[in-house]
mmCIF file of all heavy atoms in Angstrom:
data_model
loop_
_atom_site.group_PDB
_atom_site.id
_atom_site.type_symbol
_atom_site.label_atom_id
_atom_site.label_comp_id
_atom_site.label_asym_id
_atom_site.label_seq_id
_atom_site.Cartn_x
_atom_site.Cartn_y
_atom_site.Cartn_z
ATOM 1 N N GLU A 136 -7.279 -4.128 -6.406
ATOM 2 C CA GLU A 136 -5.904 -3.956 -6.871
ATOM 3 C C GLU A 136 -4.906 -4.375 -5.800
ATOM 4 O O GLU A 136 -5.204 -4.393 -4.618
ATOM 5 C CB GLU A 136 -5.658 -2.524 -7.305
ATOM 6 C CG GLU A 136 -5.826 -1.511 -6.187
ATOM 7 C CD GLU A 136 -5.844 -0.097 -6.706
ATOM 8 O OE1 GLU A 136 -6.537 0.180 -7.682
ATOM 9 O OE2 GLU A 136 -5.130 0.723 -6.118
ATOM 10 N N ILE A 137 -3.723 -4.724 -6.256
ATOM 11 C CA ILE A 137 -2.647 -5.142 -5.369
ATOM 12 C C ILE A 137 -2.061 -3.905 -4.703
ATOM 13 O O ILE A 137 -1.730 -2.920 -5.359
ATOM 14 C CB ILE A 137 -1.565 -5.893 -6.166
ATOM 15 C CG1 ILE A 137 -2.161 -7.166 -6.741
ATOM 16 C CG2 ILE A 137 -0.356 -6.182 -5.312
ATOM 17 C CD1 ILE A 137 -1.244 -7.893 -7.687
ATOM 18 N N GLU A 138 -1.918 -3.967 -3.402
ATOM 19 C CA GLU A 138 -1.345 -2.843 -2.663
ATOM 20 C C GLU A 138 0.157 -2.752 -2.907
ATOM 21 O O GLU A 138 0.796 -3.711 -3.324
ATOM 22 C CB GLU A 138 -1.613 -3.011 -1.166
ATOM 23 C CG GLU A 138 -3.075 -2.920 -0.797
ATOM 24 C CD GLU A 138 -3.679 -1.543 -1.066
ATOM 25 O OE1 GLU A 138 -2.983 -0.535 -0.893
ATOM 26 O OE2 GLU A 138 -4.854 -1.491 -1.448
ATOM 27 N N SER A 139 0.712 -1.625 -2.597
ATOM 28 C CA SER A 139 2.140 -1.388 -2.753
ATOM 29 C C SER A 139 2.937 -2.215 -1.740
ATOM 30 O O SER A 139 2.516 -2.366 -0.594
ATOM 31 C CB SER A 139 2.424 0.101 -2.530
ATOM 32 O OG SER A 139 3.801 0.321 -2.415
ATOM 33 N N PRO A 140 4.106 -2.713 -2.130
ATOM 34 C CA PRO A 140 4.959 -3.441 -1.190
ATOM 35 C C PRO A 140 5.798 -2.506 -0.312
ATOM 36 O O PRO A 140 6.633 -2.969 0.465
ATOM 37 C CB PRO A 140 5.850 -4.282 -2.109
ATOM 38 C CG PRO A 140 5.968 -3.459 -3.345
ATOM 39 C CD PRO A 140 4.616 -2.788 -3.496
ATOM 40 N N CYS A 141 5.569 -1.211 -0.422
ATOM 41 C CA CYS A 141 6.353 -0.226 0.328
ATOM 42 C C CYS A 141 6.259 -0.485 1.830
ATOM 43 O O CYS A 141 5.178 -0.701 2.364
ATOM 44 C CB CYS A 141 5.851 1.182 0.015
ATOM 45 S SG CYS A 141 6.767 2.464 0.891
ATOM 46 N N ILE A 142 7.428 -0.455 2.509
ATOM 47 C CA ILE A 142 7.459 -0.592 3.962
ATOM 48 C C ILE A 142 8.048 0.663 4.612
ATOM 49 O O ILE A 142 8.492 0.644 5.749
ATOM 50 C CB ILE A 142 8.228 -1.854 4.391
ATOM 51 C CG1 ILE A 142 9.672 -1.827 3.887
ATOM 52 C CG2 ILE A 142 7.512 -3.113 3.940
ATOM 53 C CD1 ILE A 142 10.554 -2.906 4.473
ATOM 54 N N LYS A 143 8.078 1.744 3.855
ATOM 55 C CA LYS A 143 8.521 3.064 4.311
ATOM 56 C C LYS A 143 9.982 3.101 4.744
ATOM 57 O O LYS A 143 10.352 3.805 5.659
ATOM 58 C CB LYS A 143 7.591 3.575 5.406
ATOM 59 C CG LYS A 143 6.187 3.765 4.885
ATOM 60 C CD LYS A 143 5.260 4.304 5.929
ATOM 61 C CE LYS A 143 3.931 4.506 5.258
ATOM 62 N NZ LYS A 143 2.814 4.083 5.991
ATOM 63 N N ILE A 144 10.783 2.288 4.076
ATOM 64 C CA ILE A 144 12.241 2.378 4.188
ATOM 65 C C ILE A 144 12.706 2.687 2.775
ATOM 66 O O ILE A 144 13.044 1.802 2.007
ATOM 67 C CB ILE A 144 12.862 1.073 4.710
ATOM 68 C CG1 ILE A 144 12.311 0.740 6.072
ATOM 69 C CG2 ILE A 144 14.389 1.175 4.724
ATOM 70 C CD1 ILE A 144 12.780 -0.595 6.624
ATOM 71 N N CYS A 145 12.658 3.941 2.411
ATOM 72 C CA CYS A 145 12.856 4.350 1.015
ATOM 73 C C CYS A 145 14.281 4.843 0.786
ATOM 74 O O CYS A 145 14.565 6.026 0.895
ATOM 75 C CB CYS A 145 11.832 5.425 0.652
ATOM 76 S SG CYS A 145 10.139 4.907 0.952
ATOM 77 N N VAL A 146 15.154 3.900 0.494
ATOM 78 C CA VAL A 146 16.551 4.201 0.202
ATOM 79 C C VAL A 146 16.925 3.411 -1.042
ATOM 80 O O VAL A 146 16.801 2.186 -1.052
ATOM 81 C CB VAL A 146 17.477 3.796 1.377
ATOM 82 C CG1 VAL A 146 18.930 4.045 1.028
ATOM 83 C CG2 VAL A 146 17.080 4.511 2.650
ATOM 84 N N ILE A 147 17.353 4.100 -2.078
ATOM 85 C CA ILE A 147 17.740 3.427 -3.310
ATOM 86 C C ILE A 147 19.200 2.996 -3.208
ATOM 87 O O ILE A 147 20.088 3.810 -2.990
ATOM 88 C CB ILE A 147 17.540 4.339 -4.544
ATOM 89 C CG1 ILE A 147 16.082 4.802 -4.646
ATOM 90 C CG2 ILE A 147 17.978 3.622 -5.820
ATOM 91 C CD1 ILE A 147 15.065 3.708 -4.850
ATOM 92 N N HIS A 148 19.437 1.700 -3.346
ATOM 93 C CA HIS A 148 20.781 1.143 -3.293
ATOM 94 C C HIS A 148 21.571 1.627 -4.506
ATOM 95 O O HIS A 148 21.107 1.504 -5.638
ATOM 96 C CB HIS A 148 20.699 -0.385 -3.279
ATOM 97 C CG HIS A 148 21.993 -1.057 -3.037
ATOM 98 N ND1 HIS A 148 22.855 -1.396 -4.051
ATOM 99 C CD2 HIS A 148 22.584 -1.452 -1.890
ATOM 100 C CE1 HIS A 148 23.918 -1.979 -3.540
ATOM 101 N NE2 HIS A 148 23.778 -2.028 -2.228
ATOM 102 N N ARG A 149 22.731 2.174 -4.260
ATOM 103 C CA ARG A 149 23.524 2.817 -5.305
ATOM 104 C C ARG A 149 23.889 1.872 -6.447
ATOM 105 O O ARG A 149 23.788 2.231 -7.616
ATOM 106 C CB ARG A 149 24.793 3.403 -4.690
ATOM 107 C CG ARG A 149 25.715 4.052 -5.676
ATOM 108 C CD ARG A 149 26.945 4.550 -5.025
ATOM 109 N NE ARG A 149 27.470 3.496 -4.145
ATOM 110 C CZ ARG A 149 28.664 3.470 -3.629
ATOM 111 N NH1 ARG A 149 29.474 4.456 -3.866
ATOM 112 N NH2 ARG A 149 29.064 2.500 -2.862
ATOM 113 N N ASP A 150 24.300 0.676 -6.136
ATOM 114 C CA ASP A 150 24.774 -0.240 -7.181
ATOM 115 C C ASP A 150 23.641 -0.974 -7.901
ATOM 116 O O ASP A 150 23.669 -1.119 -9.110
ATOM 117 C CB ASP A 150 25.749 -1.256 -6.586
ATOM 118 C CG ASP A 150 27.004 -0.589 -6.045
ATOM 119 O OD1 ASP A 150 27.395 0.469 -6.586
ATOM 120 O OD2 ASP A 150 27.580 -1.115 -5.074
ATOM 121 N N SER A 151 22.653 -1.430 -7.160
ATOM 122 C CA SER A 151 21.591 -2.229 -7.775
ATOM 123 C C SER A 151 20.455 -1.379 -8.342
ATOM 124 O O SER A 151 19.733 -1.828 -9.225
ATOM 125 C CB SER A 151 21.014 -3.207 -6.756
ATOM 126 O OG SER A 151 20.262 -2.509 -5.774
ATOM 127 N N GLY A 152 20.279 -0.158 -7.810
ATOM 128 C CA GLY A 152 19.171 0.684 -8.240
ATOM 129 C C GLY A 152 17.831 0.275 -7.649
ATOM 130 O O GLY A 152 16.791 0.763 -8.064
ATOM 131 N N LEU A 153 17.868 -0.617 -6.658
ATOM 132 C CA LEU A 153 16.645 -1.079 -6.012
ATOM 133 C C LEU A 153 16.422 -0.376 -4.685
ATOM 134 O O LEU A 153 17.379 -0.040 -3.990
ATOM 135 C CB LEU A 153 16.726 -2.590 -5.741
ATOM 136 C CG LEU A 153 16.870 -3.506 -6.943
ATOM 137 C CD1 LEU A 153 17.083 -4.944 -6.481
ATOM 138 C CD2 LEU A 153 15.669 -3.397 -7.848
ATOM 139 N N CYS A 154 15.167 -0.191 -4.329
ATOM 140 C CA CYS A 154 14.836 0.333 -3.007
ATOM 141 C C CYS A 154 15.172 -0.750 -1.989
ATOM 142 O O CYS A 154 14.775 -1.907 -2.151
ATOM 143 C CB CYS A 154 13.349 0.688 -2.942
ATOM 144 S SG CYS A 154 12.815 1.163 -1.284
ATOM 145 N N THR A 155 15.888 -0.394 -0.936
ATOM 146 C CA THR A 155 16.277 -1.391 0.060
ATOM 147 C C THR A 155 15.094 -1.840 0.908
ATOM 148 O O THR A 155 15.166 -2.871 1.562
ATOM 149 C CB THR A 155 17.394 -0.852 0.986
ATOM 150 O OG1 THR A 155 16.922 0.310 1.656
ATOM 151 C CG2 THR A 155 18.641 -0.533 0.197
ATOM 152 N N GLY A 156 14.003 -1.098 0.883
ATOM 153 C CA GLY A 156 12.823 -1.493 1.639
ATOM 154 C C GLY A 156 11.919 -2.438 0.884
ATOM 155 O O GLY A 156 11.595 -3.525 1.347
ATOM 156 N N CYS A 157 11.512 -2.051 -0.318
ATOM 157 C CA CYS A 157 10.519 -2.841 -1.065
ATOM 158 C C CYS A 157 11.100 -3.599 -2.252
ATOM 159 O O CYS A 157 10.409 -4.413 -2.853
ATOM 160 C CB CYS A 157 9.378 -1.945 -1.534
ATOM 161 S SG CYS A 157 9.838 -0.760 -2.816
ATOM 162 N N LEU A 158 12.340 -3.332 -2.607
ATOM 163 C CA LEU A 158 13.056 -4.003 -3.696
ATOM 164 C C LEU A 158 12.549 -3.654 -5.097
ATOM 165 O O LEU A 158 12.873 -4.331 -6.059
ATOM 166 C CB LEU A 158 13.056 -5.526 -3.504
ATOM 167 C CG LEU A 158 13.696 -6.022 -2.208
ATOM 168 C CD1 LEU A 158 13.511 -7.523 -2.066
ATOM 169 C CD2 LEU A 158 15.164 -5.655 -2.160
ATOM 170 N N ARG A 159 11.785 -2.571 -5.209
ATOM 171 C CA ARG A 159 11.368 -2.119 -6.539
ATOM 172 C C ARG A 159 12.381 -1.114 -7.072
ATOM 173 O O ARG A 159 13.126 -0.504 -6.316
ATOM 174 C CB ARG A 159 9.997 -1.429 -6.469
ATOM 175 C CG ARG A 159 8.862 -2.365 -6.126
ATOM 176 C CD ARG A 159 7.546 -1.623 -6.058
ATOM 177 N NE ARG A 159 7.556 -0.698 -4.930
ATOM 178 C CZ ARG A 159 6.645 0.253 -4.724
ATOM 179 N NH1 ARG A 159 5.652 0.415 -5.585
ATOM 180 N NH2 ARG A 159 6.725 1.037 -3.680
ATOM 181 N N THR A 160 12.381 -0.952 -8.402
ATOM 182 C CA THR A 160 13.232 0.059 -9.022
ATOM 183 C C THR A 160 12.558 1.426 -8.887
ATOM 184 O O THR A 160 11.363 1.513 -8.581
ATOM 185 C CB THR A 160 13.447 -0.229 -10.514
ATOM 186 O OG1 THR A 160 12.190 -0.101 -11.186
ATOM 187 C CG2 THR A 160 14.033 -1.612 -10.748
ATOM 188 N N ARG A 161 13.317 2.472 -9.138
ATOM 189 C CA ARG A 161 12.731 3.825 -9.122
ATOM 190 C C ARG A 161 11.573 3.930 -10.110
ATOM 191 O O ARG A 161 10.545 4.516 -9.808
ATOM 192 C CB ARG A 161 13.778 4.870 -9.484
ATOM 193 C CG ARG A 161 14.734 5.170 -8.408
ATOM 194 C CD ARG A 161 15.660 6.288 -8.848
ATOM 195 N NE ARG A 161 16.598 6.553 -7.783
ATOM 196 C CZ ARG A 161 17.831 6.951 -7.969
ATOM 197 N NH1 ARG A 161 18.277 7.148 -9.192
ATOM 198 N NH2 ARG A 161 18.621 7.172 -6.959
ATOM 199 N N ASP A 162 11.777 3.383 -11.304
ATOM 200 C CA ASP A 162 10.730 3.453 -12.328
ATOM 201 C C ASP A 162 9.471 2.727 -11.889
ATOM 202 O O ASP A 162 8.359 3.207 -12.099
ATOM 203 C CB ASP A 162 11.230 2.876 -13.652
ATOM 204 C CG ASP A 162 12.298 3.743 -14.302
ATOM 205 O OD1 ASP A 162 12.379 4.946 -13.970
ATOM 206 O OD2 ASP A 162 13.049 3.223 -15.136
ATOM 207 N N GLU A 163 9.633 1.557 -11.271
ATOM 208 C CA GLU A 163 8.468 0.809 -10.799
ATOM 209 C C GLU A 163 7.729 1.575 -9.706
ATOM 210 O O GLU A 163 6.493 1.591 -9.685
ATOM 211 C CB GLU A 163 8.894 -0.565 -10.274
ATOM 212 C CG GLU A 163 9.350 -1.502 -11.365
ATOM 213 C CD GLU A 163 10.041 -2.744 -10.854
ATOM 214 O OE1 GLU A 163 10.459 -2.775 -9.668
ATOM 215 O OE2 GLU A 163 10.173 -3.694 -11.649
ATOM 216 N N ILE A 164 8.459 2.203 -8.825
ATOM 217 C CA ILE A 164 7.841 3.000 -7.764
ATOM 218 C C ILE A 164 7.074 4.165 -8.376
ATOM 219 O O ILE A 164 5.933 4.452 -7.987
ATOM 220 C CB ILE A 164 8.907 3.509 -6.770
ATOM 221 C CG1 ILE A 164 9.516 2.324 -6.006
ATOM 222 C CG2 ILE A 164 8.318 4.541 -5.812
ATOM 223 C CD1 ILE A 164 10.781 2.660 -5.242
ATOM 224 N N ALA A 165 7.682 4.828 -9.346
ATOM 225 C CA ALA A 165 7.080 6.020 -9.953
ATOM 226 C C ALA A 165 5.766 5.718 -10.672
ATOM 227 O O ALA A 165 4.847 6.526 -10.648
ATOM 228 C CB ALA A 165 8.062 6.670 -10.916
ATOM 229 N N VAL A 166 5.679 4.561 -11.316
ATOM 230 C CA VAL A 166 4.486 4.257 -12.121
ATOM 231 C C VAL A 166 3.516 3.290 -11.434
ATOM 232 O O VAL A 166 2.506 2.910 -12.017
ATOM 233 C CB VAL A 166 4.874 3.686 -13.510
ATOM 234 C CG1 VAL A 166 5.695 4.696 -14.300
ATOM 235 C CG2 VAL A 166 5.593 2.361 -13.390
#
Side-chain angles (χ1 to χ4, degrees):
E136 62 191 47
I137 296 173
E138 294 295 324
S139 169
C141 180
I142 59 170
K143 297 182 177 136
I144 300 175
C145 305
V146 177
I147 302 297
H148 188 271
R149 178 182 47 165
D150 296 330
S151 71
L153 298 174
C154 173
T155 60
C157 69
L158 301 174
R159 292 179 293 168
T160 65
R161 284 184 181 148
D162 291 339
E163 290 168 344
I164 293 167
V166 299

